[in-house]
Amino acid sequence: DQQVKQNSPSLSVQEGRISILNCDYTNSMFDYFLWYKKYPAEGPTFLISISSIKDKNEDGRFTVFLNKSAKHLSLHIVPSQPGDSAVYFCAASNTGFQKLVFGTGTRLLVSP
Amino acid sequence: DAGVTQSPTHLIKTRGQQVTLRCSPKSGHDTVSWYQQALGQGPQFIFQYYEEEERQRGNFPDRFSGHQFPNYSSELNVNALLLGDSALYLCASSSGQGENSPLHFGNGTRLTVT
């Protein structure tokens, strides 16, 4: 049973435009949601998180939105840059930032 | 400041063999977690070690075991290897069981079972 789903395997965006990555979850007990970025041959790198008591968290060019009623979150990157090209994983947990349940990832390609 | 380091980088084993993977946490971190990432999938939680004890465990068989040493480094052992154990094994560290401390991942060990 896939508790965290990223239904778009890939996304292509032009430099300077907005990238929107989506994630759905099924477990209503999740209380933290995180986004990780992964470059080839490297481990995932923490990007941004949001607690279930919030509906938005912003950090520079990255904003995460949480819609608890729809069990949906999204990551917005504005403006997108070629260096943002990577695989983005959505993750969730009901034990803070530990024991993460990951989605299958979305490969973002930002073209100049 | 060294991040999470894992060894070896790549490993090839034969079905039925046993393997040991190693991890040194980021400086200042005392909690180590292990994840398995199969091809085309997201990482899947195996277990977490804190104060040299297994604290949490995911849905993995007993063939997967681990250890944490007094210097906080950790080993992942897999016995009786199956073809399906072929994956990228990621180690992640955090501090104090890190409820609010994001995991820092190493670059992983690529295990191939033939």
PDB file of all heavy atoms in Angstrom, chain B residues 16-18 23 29 31 33 37 44-45 49-50 67-68 74 89-90 98:
ATOM      1  N   GLY B  16      22.565 -15.815  -1.398  1.00  0.00           N
ATOM      2  CA  GLY B  16      22.881 -16.679  -0.269  1.00  0.00           C
ATOM      3  C   GLY B  16      24.016 -16.179   0.616  1.00  0.00           C
ATOM      4  O   GLY B  16      24.137 -16.609   1.771  1.00  0.00           O
ATOM      5  N   GLN B  17      24.816 -15.260   0.087  1.00  0.00           N
ATOM      6  CA  GLN B  17      25.918 -14.720   0.885  1.00  0.00           C
ATOM      7  C   GLN B  17      25.413 -13.706   1.899  1.00  0.00           C
ATOM      8  O   GLN B  17      24.233 -13.337   1.941  1.00  0.00           O
ATOM      9  CB  GLN B  17      26.952 -14.059  -0.035  1.00  0.00           C
ATOM     10  CG  GLN B  17      27.802 -15.049  -0.810  1.00  0.00           C
ATOM     11  CD  GLN B  17      28.926 -14.353  -1.555  1.00  0.00           C
ATOM     12  OE1 GLN B  17      28.748 -13.289  -2.144  1.00  0.00           O
ATOM     13  NE2 GLN B  17      30.103 -14.970  -1.541  1.00  0.00           N
ATOM     14  N   GLN B  18      26.359 -13.233   2.708  1.00  0.00           N
ATOM     15  CA  GLN B  18      26.065 -12.225   3.712  1.00  0.00           C
ATOM     16  C   GLN B  18      26.864 -10.968   3.378  1.00  0.00           C
ATOM     17  O   GLN B  18      27.930 -11.039   2.765  1.00  0.00           O
ATOM     18  CB  GLN B  18      26.457 -12.754   5.101  1.00  0.00           C
ATOM     19  CG  GLN B  18      26.260 -11.781   6.251  1.00  0.00           C
ATOM     20  CD  GLN B  18      27.523 -11.010   6.608  1.00  0.00           C
ATOM     21  OE1 GLN B  18      28.630 -11.348   6.194  1.00  0.00           O
ATOM     22  NE2 GLN B  18      27.350  -9.942   7.361  1.00  0.00           N
ATOM     23  N   CYS B  23      28.621   2.837   7.991  1.00  0.00           N
ATOM     24  CA  CYS B  23      28.181   4.231   7.957  1.00  0.00           C
ATOM     25  C   CYS B  23      28.787   5.004   9.119  1.00  0.00           C
ATOM     26  O   CYS B  23      28.751   4.543  10.270  1.00  0.00           O
ATOM     27  CB  CYS B  23      26.654   4.278   8.036  1.00  0.00           C
ATOM     28  SG  CYS B  23      25.970   5.942   8.230  1.00  0.00           S
ATOM     29  N   HIS B  29      26.141  14.196  15.241  1.00  0.00           N
ATOM     30  CA  HIS B  29      24.923  13.376  15.206  1.00  0.00           C
ATOM     31  C   HIS B  29      25.139  12.067  15.948  1.00  0.00           C
ATOM     32  O   HIS B  29      26.228  11.495  15.928  1.00  0.00           O
ATOM     33  CB  HIS B  29      24.523  13.080  13.760  1.00  0.00           C
ATOM     34  CG  HIS B  29      23.914  14.249  13.057  1.00  0.00           C
ATOM     35  ND1 HIS B  29      23.482  14.179  11.749  1.00  0.00           N
ATOM     36  CD2 HIS B  29      23.660  15.516  13.471  1.00  0.00           C
ATOM     37  CE1 HIS B  29      22.972  15.358  11.397  1.00  0.00           C
ATOM     38  NE2 HIS B  29      23.086  16.183  12.420  1.00  0.00           N
ATOM     39  N   THR B  31      22.320   9.610  16.037  1.00  0.00           N
ATOM     40  CA  THR B  31      21.261   8.682  15.623  1.00  0.00           C
ATOM     41  C   THR B  31      21.479   8.314  14.160  1.00  0.00           C
ATOM     42  O   THR B  31      21.733   9.196  13.328  1.00  0.00           O
ATOM     43  CB  THR B  31      19.882   9.341  15.783  1.00  0.00           C
ATOM     44  OG1 THR B  31      19.704   9.740  17.151  1.00  0.00           O
ATOM     45  CG2 THR B  31      18.769   8.381  15.391  1.00  0.00           C
ATOM     46  N   SER B  33      19.946   6.025  10.851  1.00  0.00           N
ATOM     47  CA  SER B  33      18.849   5.270  10.235  1.00  0.00           C
ATOM     48  C   SER B  33      19.331   4.692   8.917  1.00  0.00           C
ATOM     49  O   SER B  33      20.195   5.276   8.256  1.00  0.00           O
ATOM     50  CB  SER B  33      17.648   6.185   9.970  1.00  0.00           C
ATOM     51  OG  SER B  33      17.181   6.761  11.168  1.00  0.00           O
ATOM     52  N   GLN B  37      16.691   1.734  -1.122  1.00  0.00           N
ATOM     53  CA  GLN B  37      16.030   2.324  -2.284  1.00  0.00           C
ATOM     54  C   GLN B  37      16.184   1.399  -3.478  1.00  0.00           C
ATOM     55  O   GLN B  37      17.261   1.304  -4.079  1.00  0.00           O
ATOM     56  CB  GLN B  37      16.602   3.704  -2.616  1.00  0.00           C
ATOM     57  CG  GLN B  37      15.841   4.395  -3.739  1.00  0.00           C
ATOM     58  CD  GLN B  37      16.371   5.759  -4.083  1.00  0.00           C
ATOM     59  OE1 GLN B  37      17.416   6.188  -3.603  1.00  0.00           O
ATOM     60  NE2 GLN B  37      15.643   6.469  -4.916  1.00  0.00           N
ATOM     61  N   GLN B  44      13.061   3.298   1.433  1.00  0.00           N
ATOM     62  CA  GLN B  44      12.167   2.625   2.376  1.00  0.00           C
ATOM     63  C   GLN B  44      12.903   2.390   3.685  1.00  0.00           C
ATOM     64  O   GLN B  44      14.011   1.847   3.691  1.00  0.00           O
ATOM     65  CB  GLN B  44      11.693   1.296   1.780  1.00  0.00           C
ATOM     66  CG  GLN B  44      10.595   0.623   2.573  1.00  0.00           C
ATOM     67  CD  GLN B  44      10.026  -0.580   1.865  1.00  0.00           C
ATOM     68  OE1 GLN B  44      10.402  -0.891   0.738  1.00  0.00           O
ATOM     69  NE2 GLN B  44       9.129  -1.294   2.529  1.00  0.00           N
ATOM     70  N   PHE B  45      12.282   2.782   4.786  1.00  0.00           N
ATOM     71  CA  PHE B  45      12.899   2.729   6.118  1.00  0.00           C
ATOM     72  C   PHE B  45      13.142   1.294   6.558  1.00  0.00           C
ATOM     73  O   PHE B  45      12.229   0.451   6.525  1.00  0.00           O
ATOM     74  CB  PHE B  45      11.974   3.426   7.116  1.00  0.00           C
ATOM     75  CG  PHE B  45      12.440   3.372   8.550  1.00  0.00           C
ATOM     76  CD1 PHE B  45      13.503   4.158   8.984  1.00  0.00           C
ATOM     77  CD2 PHE B  45      11.808   2.546   9.460  1.00  0.00           C
ATOM     78  CE1 PHE B  45      13.917   4.117  10.307  1.00  0.00           C
ATOM     79  CE2 PHE B  45      12.211   2.499  10.784  1.00  0.00           C
ATOM     80  CZ  PHE B  45      13.271   3.282  11.203  1.00  0.00           C
ATOM     81  N   TYR B  49      18.920   3.423  14.791  1.00  0.00           N
ATOM     82  CA  TYR B  49      19.714   3.122  15.976  1.00  0.00           C
ATOM     83  C   TYR B  49      20.020   4.401  16.745  1.00  0.00           C
ATOM     84  O   TYR B  49      20.396   5.430  16.167  1.00  0.00           O
ATOM     85  CB  TYR B  49      21.030   2.434  15.592  1.00  0.00           C
ATOM     86  CG  TYR B  49      20.852   0.952  15.421  1.00  0.00           C
ATOM     87  CD1 TYR B  49      20.385   0.430  14.224  1.00  0.00           C
ATOM     88  CD2 TYR B  49      21.098   0.081  16.470  1.00  0.00           C
ATOM     89  CE1 TYR B  49      20.185  -0.930  14.074  1.00  0.00           C
ATOM     90  CE2 TYR B  49      20.901  -1.274  16.332  1.00  0.00           C
ATOM     91  CZ  TYR B  49      20.441  -1.778  15.126  1.00  0.00           C
ATOM     92  OH  TYR B  49      20.233  -3.119  14.983  1.00  0.00           O
ATOM     93  N   TYR B  50      19.855   4.300  18.055  1.00  0.00           N
ATOM     94  CA  TYR B  50      20.165   5.411  18.960  1.00  0.00           C
ATOM     95  C   TYR B  50      20.644   4.808  20.268  1.00  0.00           C
ATOM     96  O   TYR B  50      20.054   3.834  20.769  1.00  0.00           O
ATOM     97  CB  TYR B  50      18.923   6.270  19.187  1.00  0.00           C
ATOM     98  CG  TYR B  50      19.074   7.358  20.216  1.00  0.00           C
ATOM     99  CD1 TYR B  50      19.914   8.445  19.994  1.00  0.00           C
ATOM    100  CD2 TYR B  50      18.367   7.307  21.421  1.00  0.00           C
ATOM    101  CE1 TYR B  50      20.049   9.444  20.946  1.00  0.00           C
ATOM    102  CE2 TYR B  50      18.501   8.303  22.371  1.00  0.00           C
ATOM    103  CZ  TYR B  50      19.333   9.365  22.127  1.00  0.00           C
ATOM    104  OH  TYR B  50      19.473  10.346  23.065  1.00  0.00           O
ATOM    105  N   HIS B  67      23.854  -2.649  13.834  1.00  0.00           N
ATOM    106  CA  HIS B  67      24.604  -2.429  15.059  1.00  0.00           C
ATOM    107  C   HIS B  67      25.032  -0.968  15.075  1.00  0.00           C
ATOM    108  O   HIS B  67      25.311  -0.391  14.026  1.00  0.00           O
ATOM    109  CB  HIS B  67      25.837  -3.339  15.089  1.00  0.00           C
ATOM    110  CG  HIS B  67      26.558  -3.338  16.392  1.00  0.00           C
ATOM    111  ND1 HIS B  67      26.104  -4.020  17.491  1.00  0.00           N
ATOM    112  CD2 HIS B  67      27.699  -2.696  16.785  1.00  0.00           C
ATOM    113  CE1 HIS B  67      26.946  -3.821  18.504  1.00  0.00           C
ATOM    114  NE2 HIS B  67      27.908  -3.015  18.108  1.00  0.00           N
ATOM    115  N   GLN B  68      25.079  -0.405  16.284  1.00  0.00           N
ATOM    116  CA  GLN B  68      25.647   0.928  16.425  1.00  0.00           C
ATOM    117  C   GLN B  68      26.758   0.865  17.455  1.00  0.00           C
ATOM    118  O   GLN B  68      26.592   0.243  18.515  1.00  0.00           O
ATOM    119  CB  GLN B  68      24.600   1.965  16.850  1.00  0.00           C
ATOM    120  CG  GLN B  68      25.174   3.384  16.864  1.00  0.00           C
ATOM    121  CD  GLN B  68      24.160   4.435  17.259  1.00  0.00           C
ATOM    122  OE1 GLN B  68      23.276   4.177  18.076  1.00  0.00           O
ATOM    123  NE2 GLN B  68      24.290   5.630  16.691  1.00  0.00           N
ATOM    124  N   SER B  74      27.729   2.962  12.428  1.00  0.00           N
ATOM    125  CA  SER B  74      26.744   1.887  12.367  1.00  0.00           C
ATOM    126  C   SER B  74      27.071   0.913  11.246  1.00  0.00           C
ATOM    127  O   SER B  74      27.760   1.262  10.282  1.00  0.00           O
ATOM    128  CB  SER B  74      25.343   2.481  12.162  1.00  0.00           C
ATOM    129  OG  SER B  74      24.357   1.478  12.004  1.00  0.00           O
ATOM    130  N   TYR B  89      21.544   1.289  -0.720  1.00  0.00           N
ATOM    131  CA  TYR B  89      21.315   1.347   0.721  1.00  0.00           C
ATOM    132  C   TYR B  89      21.840   2.684   1.237  1.00  0.00           C
ATOM    133  O   TYR B  89      23.024   3.000   1.111  1.00  0.00           O
ATOM    134  CB  TYR B  89      21.977   0.167   1.423  1.00  0.00           C
ATOM    135  CG  TYR B  89      21.233  -1.111   1.144  1.00  0.00           C
ATOM    136  CD1 TYR B  89      21.494  -1.851  -0.004  1.00  0.00           C
ATOM    137  CD2 TYR B  89      20.222  -1.547   1.991  1.00  0.00           C
ATOM    138  CE1 TYR B  89      20.771  -2.998  -0.298  1.00  0.00           C
ATOM    139  CE2 TYR B  89      19.500  -2.703   1.714  1.00  0.00           C
ATOM    140  CZ  TYR B  89      19.779  -3.414   0.569  1.00  0.00           C
ATOM    141  OH  TYR B  89      19.061  -4.550   0.283  1.00  0.00           O
ATOM    142  N   LEU B  90      20.933   3.436   1.813  1.00  0.00           N
ATOM    143  CA  LEU B  90      21.245   4.780   2.289  1.00  0.00           C
ATOM    144  C   LEU B  90      21.290   4.817   3.805  1.00  0.00           C
ATOM    145  O   LEU B  90      20.409   4.286   4.479  1.00  0.00           O
ATOM    146  CB  LEU B  90      20.184   5.770   1.796  1.00  0.00           C
ATOM    147  CG  LEU B  90      20.108   6.004   0.295  1.00  0.00           C
ATOM    148  CD1 LEU B  90      18.783   6.637  -0.087  1.00  0.00           C
ATOM    149  CD2 LEU B  90      21.265   6.881  -0.164  1.00  0.00           C
ATOM    150  N   GLY B  98      16.145  12.889  16.917  1.00  0.00           N
ATOM    151  CA  GLY B  98      15.810  13.933  15.962  1.00  0.00           C
ATOM    152  C   GLY B  98      14.372  14.081  15.543  1.00  0.00           C
ATOM    153  O   GLY B  98      14.086  14.099  14.347  1.00  0.00           O
TER     154      GLY B  98
END
